[in-house]
Amino acid sequence: MRLHKLEKWWLILGVSALIMFLVVLGFGAFYMGTHPQSHGLTIDPNNIEANEAFQKENLGLTKVDTDHYIVNVVASAFNYDLGVDEDGNSVNHIKIPKGASVLFQVVTTDVIHGFNIAGTNVNMMVEPGYVSSMEVQMNKVGEFTLLCNEYCGVGHHMMFTTVEVYE
Amino acid sequence: MALANLLTFEEISTDPIKITKKDSKLYLSFIYVAIISLFLGGLMGLLQVLVRTGEFTLPFGIGYYQILTFHGVVLALVLTTFFIIGFQFALMGKTVGISEKQRKSAWLAFWVMTIGTSLTAVTILIGKANVLYTFYAPLKAHPLFYIGLALVVVGTWIAAIVNWRQLFVWKKQNSNQNSPLLAFMVTINMIMWVIASLGVAVAVLVQFIPWSLGYAETINVLLSRTLFWYFGHPLVYFWLLPAYMAWYAIIPKIIGGKLFSDSLARLSFILFLFFSIPVGFHHQLTEPGIDPTWKFIQVVLTFMVIIPSLMTAFSMFATFEITGRKKGYLGLFSWFKNLPWHDVRFFAPFVGMLAFIPGGIGGIINASHQMNTLVHNTIWVTGHFHLTVATTVLLTFFGIAYWLIPHLTGRKLTRKIHRLGIYQTVVWAIGMTIMSGAMHIQGLLGGPRRSSYSEYGGSEQAVEWGAYQMAQAVGGTILFIGILLMVYIFIHLAFIAPEGKEEFPIAEIEDYAPITPKWMENWKLWIGITIALILFAYTIPVIDIIQNSPPGSPPFDAIIGN
């Protein structure tokens, strides 16, 4: 089959651009290790407390080291459980210092939920039977809305909480 | 040998098969369902953008997610599928003919699809299936929702078998010739569709129906999502390829030119068959349970499918330029200025082609391994597919309707309707630029898709999103005016326009175009390569998903209001 000369050039140019782009993506993924979250860690959705991270007292923000934090969250329709404060009230606002590295670990007890800190790179699907986790550095100061971005039922748009990154 | 081949094609294209009244009735029936879907689905779209301004509440206790489900199912699945099947039957009838028996089977396809659609639509309307058009487990809709969807798919399979039979019969009578280009394209599209829809059929028949009826206690959520997206991406090419058929083989005739290269057109369709199916993971990039290496492999395969689109873009503009120069417009861009902009049969699809440039770029971003994280499930994605399917594909379908409907009804596309069509296209382009543009920006700012109006506790971010939601309401309202115009045009062309003749434009091949090689119709080879690619992309990850699966999920229906 014969290709037009200009068409050959057009395809060579286009395909090289695609390959270059894929090389950049591949470099990021396999050399820098920036894959989207995929740890394949399973959990029984009816017994999430079998995993220590999701026992009642371990939910929410925990400082593990200077500038290292873990946030454990249990999602369910239509709420993110971030544990309770000293007075026994549920937490719906967490504060993280700027530049801290934070490991988010999330599970669901019912249907699929989204876990997106809007305006940041934290964006995960949370599916029954799996632990979703992602480690990020919070470098932007401000108040961010953590919200559910996968439809989970009639109260889906009421499912949110806030994350504050302070100087 | 080569010369003989060329002559026979000339013969075929100058002496096309006449479409009888009985055939017209069949093709039109599919298109009528598509038009009704356009109106009802579009109305739901208007209600959605209004709700999301925060100034409007739905009456009679109708839920936002109920109309969202209706909008998605009726526009994305029903409108597209019915128009495509009707259009493809018309293409097959025109190029290879349809027999009495085939027509009967085609009617069976129509009724199975229509009954399925009605079951699903009614289930949604009475509020028993607020699961959106992706129906992700473990949200549980009424069993009739899934049964209706399964019937629609079975109906399309019957249509596919009829199409294949049509080509087979023609080939037996014309064994020394290449099949007509359009018949070849329809065959490829239906092979791709049937192989892809096997995934969703398995999910619905083996997983969803028994589980929703209570025969199975739990469902493997990740497996159901993987099977859905195995089908869900080729689905978008099932929408796009009929538009490409019109671009390659019909538009050149409308602008007074010829097809740039028959073999190139066929090659691009073969590449679409190869690379549209083994790519579903790029919809599942942010999921916890799939190995990142396999995700990356499917990202690479996804990028392969850009190549036939690049070929199509070249072919289209080559046709435009060659045609213009033949007509004597020799300046650097005068061929472009002198394209038939006043001809709506060209203008509407052309605006669609333009929308595919930002649409395609957005698609590349969505499919990119890590970049996807920024936009996944934000309203950016909604903006993306309103450019691709709701503009590129739909405007091309509108462009087809301007000649197909009057051709089938034996009426005339009058000047008045012609002019209205131009306005309609402009209205559509303006409405979509505003709505989709606002969606793209709001998505980059983190605004979620598939969500009703919410102030998110009065956060600053939500206030910022609110402005874009207002813009979407403006764009959406303009689009609804476009839908009303289109429905009026459809009705006029089908029932009111004066009697007359409209041509069924099928382009001839450029005289010096390369001869189409015989091996292009090696169906066994093409299907074999397709299956090999699918097995390569899916076997190991699916075994992995099944072997390492967590406990299954019971159904949840109370939280969707059932």
Side-chain angles (χ1 to χ4, degrees):
Chain A
M1 223 188 74
R2 203 156 48 81
L3 282 180
H4 192 279
K5 191 181 78 193
L6 287 175
E7 173 157 38
K8 252 184 223 158
W9 279 107
W10 163 255
L11 283 178
I12 288 170
L13 210 75
V15 174
S16 326
L18 291 181
I19 292 172
M20 248 165 60
F21 192 45
L22 280 171
V23 168
V24 173
L25 290 182
F27 182 81
F30 296 100
Y31 186 76
M32 316 272 286
T34 48
H35 286 289
Q37 68 120 0
S38 346
H39 301 276
L41 188 59
T42 57
I43 190 171
D44 182 349
N46 298 313
N47 183 21
I48 51 164
E49 297 201 8
N51 185 323
E52 207 192 326
F54 303 103
Q55 286 165 1
K56 285 236 173 301
E57 62 277 16
N58 294 332
L59 295 183
L61 183 72
T62 315
K63 186 170 180 172
V64 283
D65 200 355
T66 21
D67 281 346
H68 271 78
Y69 293 79
I70 291 183
V71 179
N72 295 326
V73 186
V74 175
S76 63
F78 307 103
N79 175 51
Y80 292 113
D81 191 348
L82 290 159
V84 287
D85 60 16
E86 291 110 37
D87 309 326
N89 299 318
S90 2
V91 175
N92 53 21
H93 182 95
I94 51 174
K95 293 168 89 167
I96 300 165
K98 183 189 166 189
S101 131
V102 188
L103 172 67
F104 291 94
Q105 302 187 110
V106 195
V107 291
T108 166
T109 56
D110 46 37
V111 296
I112 297 170
H113 296 283
F115 187 91
N116 182 204
I117 304 180
T120 76
N121 283 344
V122 181
N123 194 354
M124 306 189 276
M125 300 293 289
V126 186
E127 290 170 21
Y130 291 92
V131 179
S132 296
S133 66
M134 185 174 194
E135 192 163 8
V136 288
Q137 242 186 346
M138 305 299 270
N139 289 329
K140 216 162 67 181
V141 173
E143 202 174 278
F144 300 94
T145 310
L146 159 58
L147 53 81
C148 178
N149 64 6
E150 182 56 85
Y151 172 68
C152 60
V154 287
H156 162 60
H157 52 289
M158 307 307 285
M159 183 165 171
F160 69 93
T161 181
T162 48
V163 177
E164 188 185 334
V165 180
Y166 63 92
E167 196 75 60
Chain B
M1 174 67 201
L3 192 68
N5 216 337
L6 206 69
L7 283 177
T8 41
F9 187 88
E10 294 282 338
E11 259 169 44
I12 299 157
S13 54
T14 49
D15 186 27
I17 298 159
K18 207 171 145 7
I19 293 180
T20 65
K21 268 231 153 64
K22 269 187 176 170
D23 302 336
S24 297
K25 211 175 136 199
L26 170 73
Y27 310 153
L28 283 167
S29 305
F30 283 97
I31 291 169
Y32 292 152
V33 177
I35 298 161
I36 297 167
S37 305
L38 174 70
F39 176 72
L40 294 177
L43 182 65
M44 300 301 161
L46 175 69
L47 294 176
Q48 278 165 57
V49 288
L50 293 179
V51 168
R52 285 168 53 92
T53 61
E55 308 281 331
F56 174 83
T57 6
L58 289 165
F60 316 119
I62 300 169
Y64 176 82
Y65 298 105
Q66 196 176 341
I67 60 170
L68 179 56
T69 305
F70 193 87
H71 177 79
V73 169
V74 163
L75 289 184
L77 304 177
V78 179
L79 160 72
T80 49
T81 308
F82 272 83
F83 189 92
I84 290 165
I85 302 274
F87 175 51
Q88 291 188 155
F89 267 128
L91 292 177
M92 293 303 278
K94 191 72 184 169
T95 53
V96 295
I98 186 165
S99 73
E100 192 76 32
K101 236 167 128 187
Q102 289 158 1
R103 199 183 313 110
K104 272 197 189 132
S105 311
W107 275 113
L108 179 66
F110 173 79
W111 285 113
V112 172
M113 284 169 69
T114 307
I115 291 166
T117 300
S118 319
L119 284 180
T120 300
V122 168
T123 321
I124 301 168
L125 284 173
I126 57 171
K128 291 289 176 199
N130 303 333
V131 290
L132 311 197
Y133 74 102
T134 43
F135 56 92
Y136 290 147
L139 291 173
K140 194 200 90 158
H142 192 279
L144 280 180
F145 174 84
Y146 307 110
I147 293 170
L149 285 181
L151 283 177
V152 175
V153 173
V154 169
T156 62
W157 288 350
I158 299 172
I161 293 167
V162 176
N163 289 153
W164 297 337
R165 174 85 194 153
Q166 284 173 282
L167 183 65
F168 179 76
V169 170
W170 185 90
K171 275 296 259 191
K172 257 186 22 194
Q173 289 156 359
N174 304 274
S175 54
N176 55 344
Q177 288 172 29
N178 279 321
S179 53
L181 177 61
L182 283 164
F184 177 92
M185 290 168 151
V186 171
T187 306
I188 290 259
N189 199 26
M190 292 316 270
I191 292 174
M192 191 257 290
W193 169 256
V194 169
I195 296 178
S197 57
L198 285 173
V200 76
V202 167
V204 167
L205 294 175
V206 177
Q207 292 193 291
F208 281 94
I209 293 178
W211 172 76
S212 67
L213 286 168
Y215 294 123
E217 274 173 29
T218 62
I219 190 166
N220 183 331
V221 172
L222 183 57
L223 187 62
S224 76
R225 291 173 65 80
T226 304
L227 287 169
F228 181 87
W229 286 114
Y230 163 91
F231 152 84
H233 199 75
L235 170 67
V236 312
Y237 289 107
F238 175 68
W239 299 333
L240 187 64
L241 289 190
Y244 275 21
M245 293 174 200
W247 295 3
Y248 269 115
I250 285 165
I251 297 282
K253 174 84 171 181
I254 289 171
I255 65 169
K258 286 183 172 179
L259 175 66
F260 177 63
S261 165
D262 177 85
S263 47
L264 199 76
R266 288 179 204 242
L267 180 65
S268 81
F269 270 61
I270 293 169
L271 291 178
F272 272 117
L273 174 65
F274 291 167
F275 294 109
S276 55
I277 309 175
V279 301
F281 283 175
H282 78 245
H283 287 255
Q284 300 178 281
L285 286 173
T286 68
E287 305 212 3
I290 298 171
D291 184 79
T293 306
W294 286 102
K295 286 179 180 172
F296 193 84
I297 287 169
Q298 294 211 3
V299 164
V300 173
L301 290 172
T302 306
F303 274 64
M304 296 299 127
V305 95
I306 300 162
I307 297 169
S309 281
L310 287 175
M311 287 164 59
T312 307
F314 186 92
S315 190
M316 291 322 298
F317 279 84
T319 305
F320 296 158
E321 185 179 349
I322 291 168
T323 309
R325 296 211 184 283
K326 265 193 197 156
K327 287 183 187 165
Y329 303 114
L330 298 174
L332 192 55
F333 289 111
S334 62
W335 56 269
F336 186 76
K337 265 193 299 203
N338 287 292
L339 282 167
W341 300 109
H342 55 275
D343 189 339
V344 70
R345 298 172 308 161
F346 164 76
F347 183 62
F350 185 84
V351 174
M353 289 178 202
L354 287 188
F356 203 52
I357 298 170
I361 294 170
I364 293 174
I365 294 169
N366 296 341
S368 301
H369 200 56
Q370 315 88 331
M371 249 199 317
N372 170 270
T373 311
L374 189 67
V375 291
H376 180 81
N377 265 351
T378 68
I379 200 162
W380 156 287
V381 177
T382 318
H384 161 71
F385 63 69
H386 277 83
L387 277 186
T388 47
V389 65
T391 311
T392 304
V393 170
L394 211 56
L395 278 179
T396 304
F397 288 179
F398 291 167
I400 292 165
Y402 289 114
W403 54 262
L404 183 61
I405 295 178
H407 180 87
L408 294 178
T409 52
R411 293 176 194 277
K412 199 86 197 132
L413 173 62
T414 58
R415 280 178 84 132
K416 217 182 89 197
I417 289 297
H418 206 131
R419 189 150 7 105
L420 201 58
I422 301 269
Y423 293 145
Q424 198 278 340
T425 308
V426 173
V427 166
W428 200 267
I430 294 171
M432 202 54 95
T433 307
I434 299 172
M435 188 178 88
S436 167
M439 284 173 166
H440 276 92
I441 301 170
Q442 192 194 340
L444 287 178
L445 296 170
R449 74 187 275 205
R450 330 188 111 175
S451 291
S452 184
Y453 179 73
S454 174
E455 287 169 351
Y456 294 106
S459 80
E460 264 177 57
Q461 283 178 311
V463 174
E464 201 178 8
W465 298 336
Y468 293 101
Q469 282 166 194
M470 277 293 177
Q472 286 155 32
V474 173
T477 309
I478 296 172
L479 281 169
F480 189 67
I481 295 169
I483 286 178
L484 291 179
L485 279 175
M486 202 62 221
V487 170
Y488 173 77
I489 291 169
F490 273 132
I491 292 172
H492 197 91
L493 290 177
F495 306 108
I496 301 166
E499 288 188 10
K501 264 197 171 147
E502 281 298 333
E503 118 186 91
F504 195 119
I506 298 180
E508 289 165 27
I509 305 174
E510 202 60 77
D511 303 330
Y512 51 80
I515 302 299
T516 306
K518 282 267 178 222
W519 52 260
M520 292 216 119
E521 283 196 67
N522 194 340
W523 298 109
K524 277 185 198 140
L525 181 65
W526 305 148
I527 297 172
I529 295 176
T530 308
I531 292 172
L533 279 167
I534 294 168
L535 290 177
F536 165 67
Y538 274 103
T539 310
I540 296 173
V542 167
I543 289 174
D544 190 46
I545 288 169
I546 294 170
Q547 271 183 347
N548 300 317
S549 68
S553 285
F556 289 88
D557 53 2
I559 57 179
I560 55 167
N562 281 11

